[in-house]
Structure formats: C-alpha cells, structure tokens
Amino acid sequence: KIEILIPQGLDLSFRKTRLRLLGESETQNIKDHHALFSFKKWLPRIYRIELTEKDFAKHEFFFRDMRAKGLSSIEAVRETFKAALISPRFIFREESKGFEKPDKIDEFALAHRLSYFLWSSVPDDTLWELAKNRELRKNLKKEFLRMLSDPKLNAFIENFSGQWLQLRDLKLTSPNPDQFPEFSDSVRVSMIRETEEFFKYLLMENLPVDTLLSANFSMVNQELAKFYGLPGNFTEEFQRVVFTGEDLAKRGGILTHGSILAITSNPTRTSPVKRGKWVLENLLAAPPREPPPNVTELEEPITKGNRVLTLREQMAQHSKNPMCYSCHASMDNLGYAMENFNAIGKWRTEEDGMPLDVFGKLSSGEEFNGVQELQSFLIDYKKQAIVRCIIKKLLTYGLGRGLTYKDRALVDDILSDISDKEVLLADLLFAVIKSESFQNGY
C-alpha cells in the first residue's frame, strides 16, 4: 500500500478546483448529473465558443460510454475533459467571424484575443458573459480599464516589454566576470524589473509616450541604487526615484536603463553598433540592412604608432568600407551618444585614460552630444516614428503574427486618429485594441 501525502494547502487547492469544475468539493459525491452540469459550463470555455446541443450530445455519449465500461463518474469526467483538451478545436485557437459584421471576428474571439493580449490568459467570467450576450464591443473601453487595473496585467508588462525592448536577452547576457565582478544575477534581475516597473508606471498613469525618453525618474530598489551609485535610503521594493543635479545628467529615460545598455554590449566592451541598432529597431521601426557577406568582426585592440586606438577610432576605421558606411553612419552615431555608460550600464567619463567622445551627427545633419541630447532629439524630431513603432510592436504582439501590407494602411489610420493630440500611452494601447487590425479576422 502506497500512501500519498498531499500538503494541506495543495489539498485545499484541489478541493477548490473540484468545486469550481463540478459544483462539489468531495470526489466521492460526484454524480452523473454533476458531470453533465460541468460539461454545460466548461466545454464552451474549452472550445472558446458557444456549443450546439449536438456538440454536447457527443460529449455526453462519450461520458456514458466510459461509465458503461466501468469507470466512476469522476474518472469518466476526467476522460471526457481529456478528450476535449486534445481536440484541434482546443489546441488551435480559431477565430470565427461575426454574423452581423462578417469583416470582424465574433465577440468570443475578441474576448480571447483581448484577454491573451492583456493578461496572457483565458477570459474571466465577466468577459465571457459579455461575449455571450454580444455586449463586449459595446463595453470595450470599460472592460479595457477594468483589465488594466487587474494584477493579471503584469503578464502583459513582462511579456510585451520582454519582446519589444528585448529584455529577455538580458537573461542570456554574460559580461566578463573579471572585468565586471559587480554584475551579478540579482543585479540582472533588478535591471529587468526596473524597466518593467518603469513601463508599467507610464501605462498605469497614462503618461505621454514622450516620457519613455524624457522621464526624470525611474523605478529603483536598494541593490540597483547601490549599483548606479544613487544617494538615499532604499529597500528591496522598487520605488519611484526622481533624479536631480548630477544624477539627472546620468539617469532618466529608457536609454539610461542598465537593462538596455547591457543587452546592447559585448561581454568585454560596449558596442555603439548594437546600441544604435537597438534604437533604430525598437524605437524607430527602421532596422538597418543586413551586413554584406564576409564582413569581418571588429578586432581589438588596434594600434597606430605607439598608441592603442579608441573604440570610436577603431569603429571609424572599420566602417570605411563604402558598403558598410551607409548603415554605420546612422547606427554608430546613435550609439556613440550612449558611450558614457560601460558594458554593464555604469556611468563613466573616460575609457583607458582617454576622455570619451559622445558626440553624434547623422548624415541628415542633426547633432547631439550625450544620451540626454540624443533622447531630446528623438522626442523633438522622431516622435511620430516612435509612436508608429510602438503601434506596430503592439499589433505584432497582440495578433501573434508579423504585420502585412494590409496592416500598413491601418497603422496609418491609428496614427492619424491621434496625431493631432498628445499621445498618452494607455490611450495608445486602447487605440490599437479598437483598431481594424485588432478587430478584424485577417
């Protein structure tokens, strides 16, 4: 005889689950009518749509067949749900078109698309009932605000920022431990949390999109404050910190976050190319062309006479090739402005005893000196491109696919609706949700 001991808290969880699924908390009390009740309630949720009597009859027949073979009620229920969970109708999330508006997905599909977008999970009872009564679109803004205030929104914050800002890459980043012993796994986690909490704050407060770059604050805990060298008293909890004085020149805006600076560096040094490429891809939606074949990597160190060339001098020499220059001219100059931060995001004013040159000039003539001027330049001259980029990133994440030529015009429509006003982040998120791209079935 084998006795399986279930922890009391876990056993309570099992009981709650049985009560929710079957209407009874004790397994031995499950009767056939409880099973049929559970099918009526949960099979539509499994298949994500209302079912016909014919659909229910198939599952009831399967259930009674299992009972006839000697299975108990609870065992037959388990087998019926297992059969449903391996059905292609469950495994593949199909999105049906509506009858009244055949160009749009139906309300059940909208409820699931919305829930997986903002919560990374199935719709709750409120969303389901609204979809069932064909009232979700009528209450879309109200539901959006409700979902925004739910703790399940943390899944969107983590998953979307991980995809858009490439925060997931920080888990794979390995700075050289001999050069950067202060970079630990706990610092890595705190860096990711800083950017996630920062993005969440902007969204929950519905702040202007500009704040992404113009913020004079960030979300910092004790470990990160020590790492950044910030004065003051901090705890393990993340708190909003407003930068003043010299700290304001060093910190503020997402381009000063340790997470972004670390993922755009090499293990032993910074990379103006990676940092410039990150700005082009993730803020401007203007990724550079792929490098031509057989391009050699930058070799270090390069000496000239009796002196080791600075990284900037090495980059200039590396990009003399005309095939490389057209891309490097924009990428490198964006990255140079961020050179005050080393490979793990700590502030510095010199490298190898040489003062850092953080001046950047684009081929179109715009100039900036340092990261704060770069962020101001992006706000002043590239704001529409940044908003367009965020729209595209949100749609790609929400739809679970790359954008097609059809989506380009719809992105323009979203942009035109908000271009004459200050663009607030939560409002932008809702504009994407109510857009044709999100509501339509293609």
Side-chain angles (χ1 to χ4, degrees):
K1 180 180 179 181
I2 300 176
E3 183 178 4
I4 300 176
L5 298 178
I6 299 176
Q8 184 177 1
L10 189 59
D11 183 51
L12 180 60
S13 176
F14 288 159
R15 290 171 181 269
K16 288 182 178 178
T17 300
R18 287 197 297 267
L19 181 62
R20 180 166 168 79
L21 288 175
L22 302 168
E24 284 289 332
S25 60
E26 298 297 334
T27 302
Q28 60 266 30
N29 292 333
I30 299 302
K31 306 297 182 184
D32 286 4
H33 68 274
H34 294 132
L36 299 179
F37 163 82
S38 70
F39 296 157
K40 287 285 186 179
K41 182 175 182 180
W42 294 110
L43 286 175
R45 300 299 296 270
I46 289 175
Y47 294 121
R48 295 179 284 271
I49 198 168
E50 286 184 302
L51 299 181
T52 65
E53 289 301 320
K54 185 178 179 180
D55 292 321
F56 285 118
K58 290 179 181 178
H59 291 81
E60 183 178 349
F61 177 83
F62 182 84
F63 169 78
R64 296 196 182 283
D65 185 51
M66 294 295 101
R67 292 283 285 127
K69 291 180 179 179
L71 272 66
S72 67
S73 289
I74 188 64
E75 290 171 335
V77 167
R78 187 179 294 118
E79 291 302 312
T80 306
F81 278 132
K82 282 170 62 177
L85 293 174
I86 63 173
S87 167
R89 294 176 66 183
F90 170 74
I91 294 173
F92 298 99
R93 184 156 60 94
E94 298 177 350
E95 294 184 329
S96 304
K97 300 289 186 71
F99 293 107
E100 298 177 0
K101 298 180 178 180
D103 60 324
K104 298 185 181 299
I105 55 176
D106 69 17
E107 297 229 339
F108 286 108
L110 178 60
H112 283 84
R113 184 177 283 189
L114 182 62
S115 185
Y116 280 106
F117 183 35
L118 295 181
W119 287 348
S120 297
S121 184
V122 297
D124 63 3
D125 291 342
T126 302
L127 280 172
W128 179 263
E129 289 301 317
L130 285 171
K132 185 177 179 180
N133 296 323
R134 310 294 189 269
E135 294 180 347
L136 178 55
R137 281 191 170 91
K138 297 177 186 176
N139 294 277
L140 193 60
K141 184 62 178 287
K142 179 181 177 182
E143 283 305 290
F144 168 72
L145 295 175
R146 181 180 72 86
M147 296 177 74
L148 211 61
S149 63
D150 192 287
K152 292 194 288 286
L153 185 75
N154 287 330
F156 168 75
I157 300 298
E158 179 180 349
N159 293 329
F160 176 63
S161 60
Q163 178 174 303
W164 167 36
L165 303 175
Q166 300 177 3
L167 297 184
R168 295 167 180 167
D169 292 351
L170 190 55
K171 297 177 182 179
L172 307 175
T173 300
S174 300
N176 187 312
D178 294 330
Q179 289 180 257
F180 308 108
E182 62 270 54
F183 187 87
S184 63
D185 285 339
S186 57
V187 168
R188 185 198 312 270
V189 171
S190 292
M191 284 181 171
I192 294 173
R193 282 287 308 280
E194 175 192 15
T195 306
E196 289 176 349
E197 294 294 328
F198 176 73
F199 175 61
K200 182 180 180 180
Y201 183 84
L202 301 189
L203 183 61
M204 300 302 290
E205 296 296 322
N206 199 17
L207 296 179
V209 170
D210 304 5
T211 317
L212 193 69
L213 295 164
S214 66
N216 65 346
F217 63 88
S218 191
M219 313 300 286
V220 181
N221 67 350
Q222 185 178 45
E223 183 166 40
L224 211 53
K226 180 181 178 181
F227 184 82
Y228 287 158
L230 300 175
N233 297 319
F234 297 87
T235 67
E236 294 181 358
E237 299 298 320
F238 281 80
Q239 62 188 69
R240 181 173 175 269
V241 177
V242 177
F243 303 119
T244 58
E246 293 183 1
D247 291 328
L248 185 56
K250 303 174 184 178
R251 301 289 168 185
I254 200 166
L255 294 185
T256 70
H257 284 207
S259 59
I260 306 305
L261 297 161
I263 63 175
T264 53
S265 296
N266 293 328
T268 59
R269 62 169 177 82
T270 61
S271 174
V273 174
K274 289 183 178 180
R275 289 178 175 178
K277 185 173 182 284
W278 188 94
V279 172
L280 291 173
E281 286 184 339
N282 300 298
L283 294 183
L284 303 178
R289 296 190 301 271
E290 290 296 319
N294 303 320
V295 173
T296 58
E297 292 288 331
L298 180 65
E299 298 178 2
E300 289 190 287
I302 298 177
T303 59
K304 189 173 183 179
N306 297 321
R307 184 174 66 86
V308 177
L309 299 183
T310 65
L311 178 59
R312 182 160 185 154
E313 290 171 331
Q314 295 178 56
M315 291 297 305
Q317 183 169 314
H318 175 74
S319 60
K320 282 183 178 178
N321 185 332
M323 295 182 66
C324 302
Y325 179 77
S326 59
C327 289
H328 277 279
S330 56
M331 280 193 301
D332 295 2
N333 279 280
L334 292 168
Y336 290 149
M338 303 162 71
E339 276 292 281
N340 274 134
F341 299 96
N342 70 5
I344 57 172
K346 299 195 78 168
W347 181 263
R348 60 183 184 167
T349 56
E350 59 181 41
E351 182 182 28
D352 298 327
M354 298 287 292
L356 284 164
D357 182 0
V358 294
F359 177 78
K361 182 176 181 180
L362 302 183
S363 56
S364 51
E366 294 92 344
E367 300 177 353
F368 34 81
N369 192 37
V371 67
Q372 297 300 355
E373 286 192 15
L374 170 60
Q375 292 189 126
S376 296
F377 159 75
L378 292 171
I379 294 169
D380 293 340
Y381 296 97
K382 301 293 181 180
K383 179 178 177 178
Q384 189 175 61
I386 293 171
V387 174
R388 178 188 294 275
C389 179
I390 296 175
I391 291 172
K392 294 172 72 173
K393 298 291 185 179
L394 285 168
L395 281 174
T396 299
Y397 176 82
L399 300 177
R401 61 170 175 80
L403 302 187
T404 68
Y405 71 94
K406 293 181 180 180
D407 295 301
R408 294 175 187 172
L410 299 176
V411 170
D412 290 338
D413 290 341
I414 299 174
L415 197 59
S416 64
D417 287 343
I418 58 178
S419 61
D420 60 342
K421 62 187 80 169
E422 186 175 44
V423 183
L424 307 179
L425 191 56
D427 291 348
L428 180 62
L429 179 57
F430 182 68
V432 167
I433 289 171
K434 70 176 184 179
S435 70
E436 288 190 44
S437 284
F438 195 88
Q439 298 269 333
N440 287 358
Y442 53 76

